[in-house]
Amino acid sequence: MSSPKTTRSGSVSGSCGPDCTCRGPIPALDDLRSAMPKQDPKSVIYMDNNATTRVDEQVVAEMLPYLTEQYGNPSSMHTFGGQVAHKIAEARQRVADLLGCLPEEILFTSCGTESDNTAIKGTLAVLPNKRKIVTTRVEHPAVLTTCRDLERHGYSISEIGVDRQGNLNLDELGFRIDDNTAIVSVMYANNETGVIFPIDEIASIVHSRGVVFHTDAVQAAGKIPLNLRNSAIDMLSLSGHKLHAPKGIGVLYVRKGTRIAPFLHGGHQESGRRGGTENVPGIIALGKACELALKYRVEENTRVKSLRDRLEAKLLASCPDCMINGNPEHRLPNTLNISFEYIEGEAILLLLNQFGICASSGSACTSGALEPSHVLRAMGVPFTAAHGSIRFSLSRFNTEAEVDFVAEVMPKIVNRLRELSPFVKR
Amino acid sequence: MWDYTDKVMDHFLNPRNVGSVENPDGVGEVGSLACGDALTLSFKLGPDGRIADAKFKTFGCASAVASSSVLTELIKGKTLDEAMQVTNQDIASYLGGLPEQKMHCSVMGQEALEAAIANYRGKHDGAAAVKKGNIVCTCFGVTDEEIRKVVRENGLSTVEQVTNYCKAGGGCGGCHGRIAELIVEVQGEAVKTQIASPPKKPAKLTNIQKIQLVQQTINEQIRPALRADGGDIELIDIDGNKVIVAFRGMCAQCKVSGFTMKDVVQARLREYVSDDLTVEAEKNPESSEHKS
C-alpha cells in the first residue's frame, strides 16, 4: 500500500466532502479503484472484529502440540492423558486472571451461546417456582431467542428498553424485577453499537433484590477491564473467537455458591457441571488468548481506541449526512457504528468488499429480513438511517495505514451510492 | 453473504442508465426510504413511439440496483405496450436469477415501470402513484391487487414467498391471514392444505377446554406469525369470553398492533375457539415507553 500522500496527488478531484462539487457521470468502479493506492489483492483489511477475530499466532503455537502430539484425554488414568489436565488447569488460571476471579469459577463451554443458554436455563432449573426472566431488547440473539423460546414454555419475559443513545433505563429495570423473577440477564456491551452498560451498578440493583444476575460479556471481555472479585455479577459469558482464540470455545463464569443445573448432561467433566470431553486445544488456546488479552488491554484502550477515533473523525468530516449510533462516551474502544443517510448498507458493504475491506451492517438487506437491526430499532434510530448503518470493529492487528485507506475509500463509496439514490437531490 | 450471480454484480458495480431523463414523458416512483428500497424510473419516447431513453435512480441493495439497471436495458426500444409485457421474472432471469429473499427487488422494477407508463398515459401523476385496491400490509403499504399480481405471475403458494416477492407480511405479521386468503383466491383450493388446515371448532366448551383451546390457538396459530417478525404475544387472563393478552417484542412497539390485535388475534381465536370471544390488550404499567 502506498502512502496516503501519493493518493492525495492522484487524479480524482475533490474529497467528496461537504463542499464537493463533482457531479459528473457515475465513475465506473475501475476508475474509482485506480484512484486508490494499489493494494495487494490477497491482503484484507479486517474491521469486523465484533463478528470474529484472527487467531493470534502465539495462540496457534500454544495449542498446536495438543492436536498433534499430546492428544490424550485429560480424564484418562495414564500419564499421557493425565498430563493434559495440568495444562487445562493452567489455562483455567489464565482465564481467571483476565476476569479477576478464581479458577474453580471458570466453566469451559463450546461457545458464547452455550454459556448463555447454560446460565439462563441452568438457573431456571434450580428455581422451579420462579417463572420470570428480565432482560433487554438489545441482547444478542443467544439470549433473546433463548428467552423467547422459554416464553413459549410458560415463562414470562420482560425486556427493558433503551434510549436513543442505546442507554438502558435502570428505573425500568428495578421496576420489572419482582418476586417471581428467577434471573436477570443484561449484556455487558452491545455487539452492534459497542455501548457499554453500567453492569456493576445493575448487578448491585439485581443482587439487592435477591435475584441471580447474568451478563453476556462476549464483546466486553478482553476489550475493557473486568474484575469480578469486586462485583456482584453471578454469571458471565465469554467467547474465545472474539478475543483471538479459535471458534468452538467459550466460558461461563459461575460465582462460587451460585446454584446452577448442567445444560449438557454427561460425564463428570467440569466438576459435573458440563458433560462432554474437554475441547483441549481450544481450552489451551483460550488460556493463551486471555493471557495476551490481559497484556494488550492497555493497548486496546489506547492505540486501538485512537485508531477508532481517527476513523470516526475522518468519516464524520468527509461524509455529509452521517451520524454515530450509540452513546459515544460509553462505548467499546474498538467499535464504530455509523449511519450514512439515503444509501443502503448492503450496497456499501459490497463496495467496501471490492477494496478488500470487511465490515458489517445493521441493514435489513444483509440478513434477508425486511426490517433493520433489532438493536437500532429498539434505540429508535430512524429507518432512513438504520438501513445505511455500517459497523467497523477494530482489533490490535489493525494499523493506521488501514484506517487511512478506509477513510479514503469510504467517502467515494458514499458519494457513488448517493449519485444513484433518488433521495439525494442535486 | 449473498450468492449473487456475476450478472447481478456487473449491473451493481457498473449500473447502466443512471440518472433522470431530461423532459421525461413518463416518471414512476416506487418504494420509500423507510421500506429499505426505492426506485425512480424516467423515460422518453422517440418519434416512432418507442422508448428512446430510460434512466433510473435507486436506493437499495445490490439486487435492487441491478434490477433497476436491467429494467432500463430491457425496455429501451420497446413500445409502451411491449414494455408493459415485461415481468419481474424477465428481470430476474436476465440477471441469471436472484436469491429468493431478494425477488421483491425485481417486482419493484416492474412496479416502477407500470407507474411510469401510467404517468405517461395520464392516469395519475407518478410522483404519488395512487395504488389500486385496498392496503393489506400496513407496514409496507402493499395492496391486495399487488399481492394477487405477484402470486399469479410467479405462481406463489406460501405467505413467506409473498413476503419475499413484494414485502407484504414482512413487518408486524398482522396481515398473514389475509395474504393466505388471497393466495387461495388466486391459486384455488389446491394450495389451501399447504397454508393451514384449521381444526374443527367445537360446539360447546367447558371453561377448562376453552382455556386450553385459546392457549393452543395462540401457540400454534398466532404466535408463529408474530414471532416470524420479532414479535410475540402472551396470554394474561381469560375472563368469561374476554381474552386478555399482551404483545411482546416487536409487536409491543408496532404502530399497527391495534390491527394485529383485532384482525389477527381476535379473528383467529374466533375462528378456532368461539365466535363470542373478544380480545383486549392488557392494561398494564409495563407497557413500553411508559416513563423516563
Side-chain angles (χ1 to χ4, degrees), chain A residues 145-285:
Chain A
T145 314
T146 303
C147 288
R148 286 179 182 168
D149 185 60
L150 285 164
E151 199 169 22
R152 287 183 53 196
H153 292 91
Y155 289 91
S156 92
I157 313 294
S158 276
E159 292 171 13
I160 313 297
V162 292
D163 67 11
R164 187 66 178 71
Q165 288 207 309
N167 303 305
L168 264 193
N169 185 336
L170 294 192
D171 290 342
E172 192 183 353
L173 176 78
F175 176 77
R176 296 265 183 130
I177 300 172
D178 59 17
D179 293 343
N180 196 25
T181 307
I183 182 169
V184 176
S185 180
V186 176
M187 68 199 330
Y188 213 114
N190 186 270
N191 49 314
E192 292 187 25
T193 60
V195 170
I196 300 170
F197 292 141
I199 286 301
D200 286 330
E201 194 184 334
I202 294 169
S204 305
I205 294 173
V206 176
H207 243 220
S208 71
R209 308 285 291 271
V211 174
V212 175
F213 180 68
H214 164 253
T215 182
D216 178 336
V218 161
Q219 293 297 341
K223 293 176 191 149
I224 52 175
L226 301 176
N227 192 350
L228 296 173
R229 205 165 285 122
N230 304 327
S231 117
I233 297 169
D234 295 305
M235 285 180 283
L236 175 144
S237 304
L238 174 157
S239 174
H241 75 104
K242 308 284 190 194
L243 44 97
H244 307 291
K247 293 149 190 76
I249 183 71
V251 159
L252 181 64
Y253 156 83
V254 184
R255 172 191 295 283
K256 238 181 166 174
T258 306
R259 291 171 60 216
I260 180 169
F263 180 60
L264 284 186
H265 295 268
H268 55 85
Q269 294 89 351
E270 299 297 295
S271 315
R273 292 179 298 179
R274 199 252 185 197
T277 300
E278 295 88 342
N279 172 3
V280 175
I283 289 171
I284 289 162

Side-chain angles (χ1 to χ4, degrees), chain A residues 51-65:
Chain A
T52 194
T53 58
R54 172 176 165 184
V55 181
D56 194 300
E57 277 165 23
Q58 296 177 64
V59 169
V60 177
E62 186 94 1
M63 76 185 283
L64 221 48

Side-chain angles (χ1 to χ4, degrees), chain A residues 29 76 139 195 232 280 283 292 351 360 401:
Chain A
L29 197 79
S76 299
E139 290 302 306
V195 170
V280 175
I283 289 171
L292 293 174
L351 287 182
S360 63

Side-chain angles (χ1 to χ4, degrees), chain A residues 310-329:
Chain A
R310 183 185 176 92
L311 180 63
E312 176 176 309
K314 284 192 165 210
L315 293 183
L316 287 175
S318 62
C319 303
D321 296 318
C322 67
M323 61 183 205
I324 305 299
N325 295 314
N327 186 335
E329 302 302 314

Side-chain angles (χ1 to χ4, degrees), chain B:
Chain B
M1 179 135 202
W2 295 112
D3 195 10
Y4 286 133
T5 62
D6 292 346
K7 203 97 180 167
V8 173
M9 285 309 286
D10 176 36
H11 277 265
F12 168 61
L13 295 175
N14 306 295
R16 299 10 167 208
N17 310 312
V18 174
S20 329
V21 177
E22 268 182 47
N23 304 317
D25 289 318
V27 179
E29 288 182 16
V30 292
S32 73
L33 264 175
C35 289
D37 46 24
L39 163 57
T40 302
L41 175 75
S42 54
F43 69 83
K44 190 154 186 67
L45 293 175
D48 55 354
R50 293 179 179 273
I51 294 173
D53 197 9
K55 289 192 170 179
F56 78 94
K57 283 202 161 197
T58 290
F59 160 79
C61 56
S63 51
V65 172
S67 295
S68 313
S69 169
V70 164
L71 171 71
T72 55
E73 292 283 277
L74 281 175
I75 62 171
K76 273 191 183 179
K78 284 192 161 72
T79 64
L80 293 186
D81 285 337
E82 285 164 2
M84 279 300 273
Q85 303 299 313
V86 174
T87 66
N88 71 293
Q89 286 293 350
D90 296 334
I91 296 172
S93 49
Y94 190 100
L95 287 169
L98 282 171
E100 183 79 0
Q101 294 97 324
K102 297 284 188 177
M103 284 302 288
H104 61 85
C105 295
S106 65
V107 174
M108 180 173 76
Q110 188 201 17
E111 287 175 356
L113 175 62
E114 279 176 20
I117 293 176
N119 170 239
Y120 169 73
R121 292 179 169 164
K123 283 183 183 159
H124 43 71
D125 73 345
V130 180
K131 295 211 172 198
K132 279 181 286 184
N134 302 313
I135 297 275
V136 172
C137 171
T138 43
C139 295
F140 288 103
V142 188
T143 66
D144 47 4
E145 282 299 318
E146 289 167 311
I147 293 170
R148 284 192 191 99
K149 188 172 159 67
V150 292
V151 170
R152 193 166 47 239
E153 292 185 354
N154 296 284
L156 309 183
S157 60
T158 66
V159 175
E160 189 188 347
Q161 285 178 322
V162 170
T163 305
N164 286 336
Y165 277 70
C166 68
K167 295 193 173 189
C172 71
C175 57
H176 285 187
R178 178 70 185 130
I179 295 173
E181 286 171 22
L182 289 168
I183 295 172
V184 173
E185 181 191 310
V186 175
Q187 304 288 29
E189 295 295 311
V191 296
K192 195 161 188 176
T193 47
Q194 292 174 32
I195 296 163
S197 50
K200 288 277 168 288
K201 187 160 49 181
K204 184 86 180 87
L205 290 167
T206 66
N207 265 338
I208 294 284
Q209 284 171 330
K210 178 160 53 185
I211 291 166
Q212 283 175 339
L213 198 53
V214 167
Q215 184 78 63
Q216 188 190 342
T217 306
I218 288 178
N219 285 344
E220 292 173 6
Q221 304 293 332
I222 301 171
R223 181 167 284 136
L226 303 187
R227 288 170 56 88
D229 304 293
D232 210 337
I233 187 169
E234 188 182 346
L235 177 62
I236 303 293
D237 201 3
I238 299 176
D239 181 8
N241 278 327
K242 196 165 72 181
V243 180
I244 299 158
V245 299
F247 280 132
R248 298 282 184 244
M250 282 312 295
C251 291
Q253 336 164 35
C254 181
K255 288 189 193 76
V256 293
S257 63
F259 293 98
T260 312
M261 189 64 89
K262 197 168 141 289
D263 294 346
V264 178
V265 182
Q266 181 163 302
R268 295 284 169 90
L269 287 176
R270 285 184 176 175
E271 184 182 344
Y272 293 118
V273 187
S274 159
D275 288 323
D276 306 326
L277 293 180
T278 56
V279 175
E280 285 181 20
E282 180 195 22
K283 293 181 189 61
N284 70 16
E286 288 200 345
S287 64
S288 54
E289 270 97 43
H290 57 100
K291 60 170 189 157
S292 62

